[in-house]
Amino acid sequence: MTMIEIPTAIHRADDDLPWVDIGDGSLLKVLQIKEREGLWVIRNRFMPGYQVQTHKHTGPVYAFTTTGAWRYKESDFVNRAGSFLYEPAGSVHTLECIEDDTQVWFHMYGVNLNLDDDGNVASVSDGRGTYDAYIAMCEAQGLGTPDVVTD
Amino acid sequence: MTMIEIPTAIHRADDDLPWVDIGDGSLLKVLQIKEREGLWVIRNRFMPGYQVQTHKHTGPVYAFTTTGAWRYKESDFVNRAGSFLYEPAGSVHTLECIEDDTQVWFHMYGVNLNLDDDGNVASVSDGRGTYDAYIAMCEAQGLGTPDVVTD
Amino acid sequence: MTMIEIPTAIHRADDDLPWVDIGDGSLLKVLQIKEREGLWVIRNRFMPGYQVQTHKHTGPVYAFTTTGAWRYKESDFVNRAGSFLYEPAGSVHTLECIEDDTQVWFHMYGVNLNLDDDGNVASVSDGRGTYDAYIAMCEAQGLGTPDVVTD
Amino acid sequence: MTMIEIPTAIHRADDDLPWVDIGDGSLLKVLQIKEREGLWVIRNRFMPGYQVQTHKHTGPVYAFTTTGAWRYKESDFVNRAGSFLYEPAGSVHTLECIEDDTQVWFHMYGVNLNLDDDGNVASVSDGRGTYDAYIAMCEAQGLGTPDVVTD
């Protein structure tokens, strides 16, 4: 038998996985992808004015904010330190950061269908693509090849 | 407290949910959708020549075939009675039915990104849209409003 | 980079995975386990009188019956050819087979907490244990080592 | 049609859900349970010396630590601010808090099988039971009835 023993847990310390600059001072860290499940777990540090194109999720998403403030243009609530956000599959929204050093943890299933003004799918963001970009940016920025959890 | 007691199980007999004609004699039955999870559970009865446009899955898919034969144009294997098929999130393929009365059970997470010849997303098929179409076709075909499991 | 390319699909024909005798003529086939997810996909062929101890599920379960008849002692409905059964996490029941050659497909998350008459956990059945038992029984019955999907 | 429109997202601010004292100054907040999926999302504030009995998970668990320090007795690593921990289904461990004000976010599928010294299941902790206890403790401590997300 060649099956792997289930470990007690797989740990990544804060310093194990670097922050990469994704433009204008906003930062990204990819913690884990389960490509075959469609799961991606990431952390973001957004700067004010950072926006994420209107998108529709194909699976559920869970977000936990630890500093700063951000919102969806479609909603009244503001995510601040300690906020929990649940986004069911099928939900559609447009993210904008409104305070400095806004840190968010995202646990996401499926993909982001990025929508144009007519509601058509202009592009798709997913865990594997985000992982590939993270690895490439880390290497390009001299941060080495990060050991993202890839089960 | 208003939370619902967990039932021991929710059952649908074969006759509880009708087959609807989706064109050229191919049939569809929707058993369950969990819209917020992105889950859809359906049954198909395909006729020879039935095709499903090349698509990419955003979540994992599990298929069990009970009669007939079908294949993916991208693969050598043929699904026949008793075949099990696992499609990881991210997989891409083009279904074609090759024998009469091909019955398949699909347990699917996420959506189908239907791809054009250039690999762009031409349209999206999902559980909620399939459910809505099933309800509408049942009503239009005089089959009543089927009691699909919608948790 | 060492990440595996996502395949278009992983197929097992009916004959690829043997039925093993689990006592009194009832048969089992394990199709797939995702151990780290807690997923197990199996097929059963039950004989009349076959029972499964009262158990509670820790994740959701989906069952599709293709021949024969079986029921839960706690419920009025009977699963027959074409029946779909959804068992939410937390559901509790006692299976009994009531007709010859009762074939059922189970797609299961989590474990079975097998309960004694006082409702205490007497034992636990899970995907990995069932997989290990299936492999061992196949080898003991001269059926070789089956190539269960183990992602 | 009575199906609910998918909301853009469901938000709970930090103050929307109170911390309850679970003994010796350690605190708990339940953010969401999806009972039928077996999902529970909680936050803990542990005090040094707080321990969680050795347990086995029946589904995968994801933990994110924001302050303090804690560890598993079975492992060498220590969870500190920014640590990510992935616990596959089937993993077994014994939690102990080692610093003041240790705050952890847990995203958990399935149940904790609490094990005695012989490895037998002594008790079971799950999302619904934790939710019920949280509601009851909030009410007993004069904190009102918290509006946990219960989809």
Side-chain angles (χ1 to χ4, degrees):
Chain A
M1 292 293 304
T2 59
M3 291 192 68
I4 294 159
E5 277 300 293
I6 289 294
T8 184
I10 298 173
H11 175 256
R12 294 293 180 270
D14 198 29
D15 290 344
D16 289 342
L17 296 168
W19 289 108
V20 289
D21 196 314
I22 55 173
D24 299 321
S26 288
L27 306 175
L28 169 72
K29 184 183 291 210
V30 176
L31 303 173
Q32 180 176 30
I33 63 166
K34 289 188 179 180
E35 191 175 6
R36 288 166 292 196
E37 297 301 299
L39 174 67
W40 33 326
V41 184
I42 67 173
R43 291 174 62 192
N44 284 107
R45 289 181 71 169
F46 298 124
M47 294 299 284
Y50 188 89
Q51 296 211 7
V52 178
Q53 182 178 359
T54 305
H55 57 276
K56 180 173 183 172
H57 290 286
T58 70
V61 171
Y62 308 84
F64 179 53
T65 299
T66 52
T67 66
W70 63 285
R71 60 188 293 277
Y72 286 133
K73 291 188 179 181
E74 295 79 3
S75 304
D76 291 329
F77 57 78
V78 175
N79 288 274
R80 297 183 179 282
S83 280
F84 168 63
L85 196 68
Y86 165 51
E87 308 172 7
S91 54
V92 177
H93 36 240
T94 312
L95 182 155
E96 63 177 356
C97 176
I98 52 183
E99 284 189 12
D100 273 356
D101 189 25
T102 293
Q103 296 200 27
V104 192
W105 156 283
F106 288 105
H107 183 104
M108 300 187 280
Y109 295 92
V111 307
N112 291 15
L113 302 176
N114 302 313
L115 305 179
D116 64 20
D117 291 344
D118 298 322
N120 296 316
V121 179
S123 63
V124 176
S125 303
D126 63 12
R128 177 59 189 263
T130 301
Y131 168 86
D132 287 344
Y134 176 65
I135 298 288
M137 289 186 291
C138 282
E139 294 176 345
Q141 295 177 26
L143 299 166
T145 303
D147 188 17
V148 176
V149 180
T150 51
D151 165 49
Chain B
M1 292 291 301
T2 58
M3 291 193 66
I4 294 160
E5 277 300 294
I6 290 292
T8 183
I10 297 173
H11 175 257
R12 293 292 180 271
D14 198 28
D15 290 344
D16 288 343
L17 296 167
W19 290 107
V20 288
D21 195 314
I22 55 174
D24 299 322
S26 287
L27 305 176
L28 169 71
K29 186 183 289 209
V30 177
L31 302 173
Q32 179 175 32
I33 64 167
K34 289 187 180 182
E35 191 174 6
R36 289 166 291 198
E37 296 301 300
L39 174 67
W40 33 326
V41 183
I42 66 173
R43 290 174 63 193
N44 282 107
R45 289 180 72 167
F46 297 124
M47 294 298 285
Y50 188 89
Q51 296 210 8
V52 178
Q53 182 178 1
T54 304
H55 56 276
K56 180 174 184 171
H57 290 286
T58 70
V61 171
Y62 308 84
F64 178 53
T65 300
T66 52
T67 65
W70 63 283
R71 62 188 293 276
Y72 286 133
K73 291 187 178 181
E74 295 79 5
S75 304
D76 290 329
F77 57 77
V78 174
N79 288 274
R80 297 184 181 282
S83 280
F84 170 62
L85 196 68
Y86 165 52
E87 309 172 6
S91 55
V92 178
H93 37 239
T94 311
L95 181 154
E96 62 178 357
C97 176
I98 52 182
E99 284 190 12
D100 273 355
D101 189 25
T102 293
Q103 295 200 27
V104 192
W105 155 283
F106 287 105
H107 183 105
M108 301 188 279
Y109 294 91
V111 306
N112 291 16
L113 302 176
N114 301 313
L115 306 178
D116 64 20
D117 290 344
D118 298 324
N120 296 315
V121 179
S123 64
V124 176
S125 303
D126 63 12
R128 177 59 188 263
T130 301
Y131 168 86
D132 288 344
Y134 176 64
I135 298 288
M137 288 187 291
C138 282
E139 293 177 345
Q141 295 177 26
L143 299 166
T145 303
D147 188 19
V148 175
V149 180
T150 52
D151 165 50
Chain C
M1 291 291 304
T2 59
M3 291 192 66
I4 295 159
E5 277 300 293
I6 289 293
T8 184
I10 298 172
H11 175 256
R12 293 292 180 271
D14 198 29
D15 289 346
D16 288 343
L17 297 167
W19 290 107
V20 288
D21 195 316
I22 55 173
D24 300 322
S26 289
L27 306 175
L28 168 72
K29 183 183 291 208
V30 176
L31 303 173
Q32 179 175 31
I33 64 165
K34 290 188 179 180
E35 191 174 6
R36 290 166 291 197
E37 298 300 300
L39 174 67
W40 33 327
V41 183
I42 66 172
R43 291 173 63 193
N44 282 107
R45 288 180 74 169
F46 298 124
M47 294 299 284
Y50 188 88
Q51 296 211 8
V52 179
Q53 182 178 1
T54 304
H55 56 277
K56 181 175 183 171
H57 290 285
T58 71
V61 171
Y62 308 85
F64 178 53
T65 299
T66 52
T67 65
W70 63 284
R71 60 188 294 277
Y72 286 134
K73 292 188 178 180
E74 295 79 5
S75 304
D76 291 328
F77 57 77
V78 175
N79 289 274
R80 297 184 180 280
S83 280
F84 169 62
L85 196 68
Y86 165 51
E87 308 172 7
S91 55
V92 178
H93 36 239
T94 312
L95 182 155
E96 62 177 357
C97 176
I98 53 183
E99 284 190 12
D100 272 357
D101 189 24
T102 292
Q103 296 200 27
V104 192
W105 156 284
F106 288 105
H107 184 104
M108 300 187 280
Y109 295 91
V111 306
N112 290 15
L113 302 176
N114 302 312
L115 306 179
D116 65 20
D117 291 343
D118 298 322
N120 296 315
V121 179
S123 64
V124 176
S125 303
D126 63 12
R128 177 58 188 264
T130 301
Y131 168 86
D132 288 344
Y134 176 64
I135 297 289
M137 288 187 291
C138 282
E139 294 176 345
Q141 296 177 25
L143 300 167
T145 303
D147 188 17
V148 176
V149 180
T150 51
D151 165 51
Chain D
M1 292 290 303
T2 58
M3 292 193 66
I4 294 159
E5 278 301 293
I6 290 293
T8 185
I10 297 173
H11 175 257
R12 293 292 180 271
D14 198 29
D15 289 345
D16 289 342
L17 296 167
W19 290 108
V20 290
D21 196 315
I22 54 173
D24 299 322
S26 288
L27 306 176
L28 168 71
K29 185 184 291 211
V30 177
L31 303 174
Q32 179 175 32
I33 63 166
K34 290 187 181 182
E35 191 174 7
R36 289 166 290 197
E37 296 301 299
L39 174 67
W40 33 326
V41 183
I42 67 172
R43 291 174 62 194
N44 282 106
R45 288 182 70 169
F46 298 124
M47 294 298 286
Y50 188 89
Q51 296 211 7
V52 178
Q53 182 179 359
T54 305
H55 57 276
K56 180 174 185 172
H57 290 286
T58 70
V61 171
Y62 308 84
F64 179 53
T65 300
T66 52
T67 66
W70 64 282
R71 61 188 294 277
Y72 287 133
K73 293 188 177 180
E74 295 80 4
S75 305
D76 292 328
F77 57 78
V78 175
N79 289 274
R80 297 183 180 281
S83 280
F84 169 62
L85 196 67
Y86 164 51
E87 308 171 7
S91 55
V92 177
H93 37 239
T94 312
L95 183 155
E96 64 178 357
C97 176
I98 53 183
E99 284 189 12
D100 273 356
D101 189 25
T102 293
Q103 296 199 27
V104 192
W105 155 284
F106 288 105
H107 183 105
M108 301 187 279
Y109 294 92
V111 307
N112 291 15
L113 302 176
N114 301 311
L115 305 179
D116 65 20
D117 291 345
D118 298 323
N120 297 314
V121 179
S123 63
V124 176
S125 303
D126 63 13
R128 177 58 189 263
T130 301
Y131 168 86
D132 288 344
Y134 176 64
I135 297 288
M137 288 187 291
C138 282
E139 293 176 346
Q141 295 177 26
L143 299 167
T145 304
D147 188 18
V148 176
V149 180
T150 52
D151 165 51

